[in-house]
Structure formats: C-alpha cells, structure tokens
C-alpha cells in the first residue's frame, strides 16, 4: 500500500515540477511530457544537488530540486533539437 502511494505521489510531483519548469523555460508540451520531464528532472536535480553537497529533506525541497532538474532537461533538449 505504501509503495503504491509513493508512486502516485511521485507522478503527481513530477507532473507539477514539469509544469512549473515548462512555464519557467517557455516550453510547450502536454501532461505526459511534463510528467516525464518532472520525473527525469527529479533524478537530474538530485544528482546535481548532491554533487554540490546539497539535498532535499522535505516535499518543498524535493519539488524545487525536481523543477531545477526539469529546467536543465528542457534546456538540454532545446540545445539538441
């Protein structure tokens, strides 16, 4: 039960982070793209912040990390395509 709730919260957090990053970066995309960017961005953001010696300890911090990571993913995508 806890595992399922964790997955649902991750998807919702990813969707929100992807939507926020899309607004910040002026990127157009649908809900599925936002969810994917948010989830991938969460991993990228965690990697970047851990390399810098920082980490998120609550849901707001996790959202900020995911948004930063999603912005990095959008920026890389814009440079490649």
């Amino acid at each position: 039960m806890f595992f399922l709730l964790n997955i649902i919260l991750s998807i919702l957090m990813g969707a929100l982070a992807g939507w926020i990053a899309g607004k910040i970066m002026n990127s157009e995309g649908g809900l599925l793209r936002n969810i994917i960017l948010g989830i991938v961005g969460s991993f990228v953001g965690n990697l970047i912040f851990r390399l810098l010696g920082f980490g998120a300890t609550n849901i707001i911090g996790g959202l900020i990390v995911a948004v930063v990571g999603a912005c990095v993913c959008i920026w890389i995508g814009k440079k490649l395509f």
Side-chain angles (χ1 to χ4, degrees):
M1 180 68 177
F2 181 72
F3 179 72
L4 181 62
L5 181 63
N6 199 10
I7 288 179
I8 291 170
L9 284 175
S10 294
I11 291 172
L12 290 174
M13 178 95 98
L16 181 60
W19 179 77
I20 292 170
K23 294 295 182 188
I24 291 171
M25 299 293 291
N26 267 342
S27 176
E28 299 172 4
L31 181 63
L32 183 61
R33 180 178 173 197
N34 288 344
I35 291 172
I36 292 170
L37 275 176
I39 292 171
V40 172
S42 178
F43 290 116
V44 171
N46 276 320
L47 178 67
I48 291 170
F49 277 80
R50 287 187 194 260
L51 287 174
L52 295 174
F54 299 106
T57 57
N58 59 20
I59 196 162
I60 301 298
L63 183 62
I64 292 169
V65 167
V67 168
V68 169
C71 286
V72 169
C73 290
I74 291 171
W75 180 77
I76 290 171
K78 284 183 175 182
K79 293 295 179 188
L80 290 177
F81 301 109

